[in-house]
Amino acid sequence: MNSFFTHLECTACHATYPSDQLIKTCPACAKVLYARYDLDGAATAMTLNALARRPWNLWRYAEIMPVQDRANALTLGEGGTSLIPAPALGRLFGLNNITIKDEGQNPTGSFKARGLGVAVARAKELGATAVAIPSAGNAAAAMAAYAARAGLPAVVAMPEDTPEVMKAECLAYGAKVLLVKGLINDCGKVIREGSERYGWFDVSTLKEPYRAEGKKTMGIELAEQLGWRVPDVIVYPTGGGTGIVGMWKAFAELEAMGLIGSKRPKMVVVQAANCAPIAQAFKRGERHAPLWENAATIAPGMRVPIAIGDYLILDALHESHGTALTVTDDELLEGMLLAASHEGLFVAPESGAAVIATRILREQGFLAAGDEVVIFSTGLGLMHTDLIPTNDLPILDPANPDALDGVG
Ligand SMILES: *Cc1c(COP(=O)(O)O)cnc(C)c1O
């Protein structure tokens, strides 16, 4: 299982760079770099026969992953998440075929494990001595876990109001935790400055080429789970956009390798009503999304007011004939509770946004009853128990014979 990674290519100016340097964005134009592979070579090695014998985790796709030496792969069991039918939500929404890709099953409870497992492994492979990240919470936890695994010092910068669970988790992994006044872009400034001063390697979203490679395995895995085909529609809660962008890249690579055909899913970006830079740019037909002022939502992963990969996300939306929409915090909370109460899946608020967006898209006619829809549940609800108040629950006194009156 050798990697067929050949070089890096700029997504904007198409300049190319060698694969063995620790570089971040394009040195020429500062845009996003992609890892490129010898896909013909990869296709001869990553055959269906070969795959049949490999463990069900993301390293099964090693030929189209950037880690060069398999010994450098860091694993906590990332990837290999379930694709779970959601018939009760389907009946409720008038859709015959909804499935939920349950990314909450990943180590540290979100799909962030995929990208950061790969990015930290690759940073270490190329000689980084410390890794750092600005994060709304989940990315910090994932990076801290893989840094611990790699034996690298880790620095995370999070908004001060990040859920306590995520702060505690990062401390447990031994990371240096910096709480910052402001949002993730403000945390980004702190990490950039720290990286210059102290030589940390910054693994911010799409500001190094390898997180997207980990995220792309969501698309590969989905296609494999469906028998090497893609669904009609993918609904994805979007912040920095690596999920959408990574999957879109995966589908192109799989087609070039002859594993899937030319059909693509319609990609759907879901954002919060009060933080919707991508949805707004899509509506206006623009290719870049300016900073969203006063961004606010209870879904931390979607509280991303500016995205360096805006043009890549918007291109995927256009090329796939997809769409972008927004939901309010009340709506996404409703979606979270619907998934939990109807399907037994306690999902993150971001995932709740994707659930409720699916209902809205059906109501608006974007989705037809027979469409095969895959909702990405990007994370676990367990980190967000604060959103579901429990302090009004009565306390029963078992010594009181009337304690159960009116309960049944
Ligand atoms: C980071 C995050 C998102 C946003 O994902 P992007 O791929 O960065 O757009 C969505 N949901 C959860 C739970 C997240 O942690």
Side-chain angles (χ1 to χ4, degrees):
M1 284 168 74
N2 291 322
S3 171
F4 285 79
F5 179 29
T6 53
H7 62 283
L8 297 169
E9 182 186 2
C10 177
T11 53
C13 75
H14 302 287
T16 60
Y17 303 96
S19 60
D20 60 353
Q21 288 173 11
L22 195 56
I23 48 178
K24 297 176 181 177
T25 50
C26 177
C29 74
K31 293 293 187 186
V32 177
L33 291 174
Y34 269 176
R36 296 297 185 197
Y37 299 82
D38 165 12
L39 293 173
D40 292 335
T44 62
M46 202 179 103
T47 60
L48 301 189
N49 269 338
L51 284 170
R53 292 189 297 272
R54 297 182 186 174
W56 184 235
N57 65 51
L58 64 76
W59 298 103
R60 66 197 268 102
Y61 311 118
E63 284 86 355
I64 46 172
M65 299 286 275
V67 172
Q68 301 284 32
D69 181 349
R70 189 68 175 74
N72 291 328
L74 299 168
T75 184
L76 292 165
E78 51 292 322
T81 61
S82 305
L83 186 61
I84 300 172
L89 288 180
R91 280 192 294 279
L92 204 61
F93 299 170
L95 288 162
N96 304 332
N97 189 350
I98 304 183
T99 50
I100 296 182
K101 180 79 169 142
D102 187 11
E103 290 294 303
Q105 294 175 356
N106 277 297
T108 71
S110 81
F111 78 99
K112 294 289 198 300
R114 294 179 186 263
L116 286 154
V118 175
V120 173
R122 192 66 188 140
K124 185 173 185 196
E125 185 166 71
L126 294 175
T129 52
V131 286
I133 197 167
S135 166
N138 281 329
M143 191 202 75
Y146 287 98
R149 192 98 186 144
L152 285 178
V155 184
V156 305
M158 307 193 255
E160 55 184 328
D161 59 350
T162 297
E164 294 303 317
V165 188
M166 294 168 184
K167 296 177 193 166
E169 196 182 350
C170 290
L171 287 175
Y173 293 130
K176 189 186 291 280
V177 176
L178 309 174
L179 298 183
V180 177
K181 194 182 290 182
L183 298 181
I184 187 166
N185 52 318
D186 302 298
C187 298
K189 277 181 215 139
V190 170
I191 293 294
R192 265 197 304 284
E193 199 181 317
S195 299
E196 271 165 36
R197 273 171 61 175
Y198 303 114
W200 309 329
F201 185 70
D202 179 353
V203 291
S204 296
T205 301
L206 295 172
K207 288 186 181 162
E208 60 74 56
Y210 303 118
R211 270 176 77 182
E213 295 304 292
K215 306 288 178 70
K216 92 180 175 191
T217 62
M218 288 190 290
I220 308 174
E221 207 173 279
L222 176 62
E224 185 173 14
Q225 281 171 311
L226 294 174
W228 297 108
R229 51 177 200 87
V230 297
D232 296 318
V233 183
I234 288 178
V235 185
Y236 199 94
T238 301
T242 37
I244 292 270
V245 160
M247 283 193 278
W248 195 243
K249 181 174 190 285
F251 297 140
E253 292 176 355
L254 293 179
E255 185 183 357
M257 291 170 71
L259 284 166
I260 62 169
S262 60
K263 176 182 166 174
R264 291 291 182 276
K266 291 179 184 164
M267 305 298 281
V268 176
V269 157
V270 184
Q271 295 204 295
N274 291 325
C275 182
I278 302 295
Q280 186 180 66
F282 179 76
K283 207 157 67 192
R284 293 180 176 167
E286 286 159 0
R287 196 163 177 246
H288 289 284
L291 177 84
W292 186 278
E293 300 289 345
N294 304 317
T297 166
I298 56 172
M302 293 158 69
R303 207 166 52 157
V304 181
I306 187 156
I308 177 182
D310 52 1
Y311 60 106
L312 298 169
I313 309 169
L314 289 157
D315 287 355
L317 290 185
H318 287 295
E319 289 167 23
S320 74
H321 308 289
T323 192
L325 73 164
T326 63
V327 302
T328 65
D329 278 359
D330 284 346
E331 285 173 325
L332 65 86
L333 202 52
E334 186 191 353
M336 197 178 162
L337 295 176
L338 284 177
S341 61
H342 284 65
E343 302 291 357
L345 287 168
F346 187 29
V347 303
E350 296 85 350
S351 315
V355 168
I356 212 69
T358 303
R359 183 176 82 190
I360 295 169
L361 290 169
R362 177 70 186 115
E363 285 163 1
Q364 293 177 347
F366 180 86
L367 294 176
D371 281 345
E372 181 175 19
V373 181
V374 174
I375 298 174
F376 268 80
S377 172
T378 43
L380 266 187
L382 287 177
M383 275 89 87
H384 301 275
T385 51
D386 54 311
L387 296 178
I388 303 183
T390 55
N391 43 8
D392 287 343
L393 292 173
I395 314 275
L396 303 189
D397 176 0
N400 175 358
D402 303 327
L404 280 175
D405 286 0
V407 167

